[in-house]
Amino acid sequence: MPPSVPSAPRRVARILRTSLFAQVLCALVLGIVVGKLWPDVATDLQPLGDGFTRLIKTIISPLVFCVVVVGIAKAGDLKAFGRIGLKALIWFEVASTLALLIGLIAANVVQPGSGMHVDPSTLSTKAVDAKTGGGSLPSTTEFVLNALPTSFIGAFAENSLLQVLILACLVGAALLHLGHTKVPQVLPAIEQAQEIIFAIVGFVMRLAPIAVFGAMAVLIGQYGLGVIETYAKLIILCYVAAALFVALLAVALRIVTGLSLRKFLRYIREEMLLALGTASTESVMPRVMQKLRKAGARDDAVGLVLPTGYSFNLDGASLYLSIGTLFIAQAVGVDLSLSQQITVVLVLMLTSKGMAGIPGSAFLALSATASSLGAIPAGAVALLLGVDRIMDSMRVVTNLLGNCVAVFAVSRWENALDLERAKKVLDGEAVAAVSEGDEETAPKAEIPAQATKEAAAEAS
């Protein structure tokens, strides 16, 4: 007797019960419907998304600390860790500069702001000040100093990723210096803490559909769908330019590693959909770190490159800033010369590095760029207030993919990528999960020779 085939409703119910991707997708659609039909109710759902983001943020700093410390200690070579950091910064600078240039070329060709004939005197900077909270981007000196921790606990309390990274590097270096036998309990304790944090990530991720529902309902309830019609040319240009940049990322990934970006997108589709729904790459950072490790990238490479990229490699933001600058210039009738556009690139190369974690950072960077040119009225930045939230999806996807490709590329560059494992994982083959304790499947260097000698001496 042939086995009974479950009915369609049962199959749908099973998919919704077991697939996070399906749950988030349904929540996304429901959020749009609620935001469109009941906008007043939708605006009250903001705490759903904010609460989820808060829970995720509490996990990020300790997770980064554990992954980096374990990565350094098990790789056994602090110089290799330094090389990874240097190569990551080189990759970040090349990628973000390329994004800026693509944005400028696209804005010059399409000219999304031409024909608007906006009178700058009718624009006020008060709306921009409200968006940014009257803040400002840090100078280069302030940025460097702010990356240095003033308190071990304070770095975690303030959720400062760069400070946590520095602390993790110091602790990892200390473990290598002392050797395995002098502090035999420290590394296992950190590894166990890491597993606990990943378990917490699994618990929190069950709330992801609720967060996506609330965030999407608020977006549609506040801005409606009409803003898309008003800024259609700008929106389409930004998304097409982002698609072109992602295509270049795919080519770069294929050349450097031989891996397929399309398969990687399928591999992280749940995290990508969650990032789109919440308009935040931070909400998926722990899960993406987990999946990159499972896909064959070594712990130290994942732990250093991905968190650093959140501060230094905002490709989507760079793309948006370059297009946005030319858009507001064209809208108020200012024709920027070639030298002024080169100045735009140079200024944005600096300002885009200090944006992470600052409220309204895109508007602060745009204001700083406009001020440096001296030709664009400061109030013109307000033209992008209505469309900024719509651009979040483009920025989130491009930023996230840019940083994930950077992890694979730098890992391959440093021989810290298990290509065979990566191909199997992206092809959907069953591979034991690193995050679930199968550490032996991850590519790691041997325990430092110094530690091995000390252990042998103590045993004898």
Side-chain angles (χ1 to χ4, degrees), residues 5 63 123 126 131 138 144 150 159 184 215 223-225 245 260 273 296 358 365 423 447:
V5 178
L63 176 61
L123 300 173
K126 291 182 179 179
K131 178 77 173 179
V144 173
T150 57
N159 221 17
Y223 297 98
L225 299 175
F245 182 79
S260 167
L273 196 58
I358 300 176
K423 290 177 180 178
I447 297 294

Side-chain angles (χ1 to χ4, degrees), residues 37-57:
L37 297 181
W38 302 286
D40 294 336
V41 175
T43 53
D44 294 330
L45 299 177
Q46 184 74 40
L48 296 180
D50 290 348
F52 177 81
T53 304
R54 280 172 174 258
L55 288 173
I56 288 292
K57 284 185 176 181

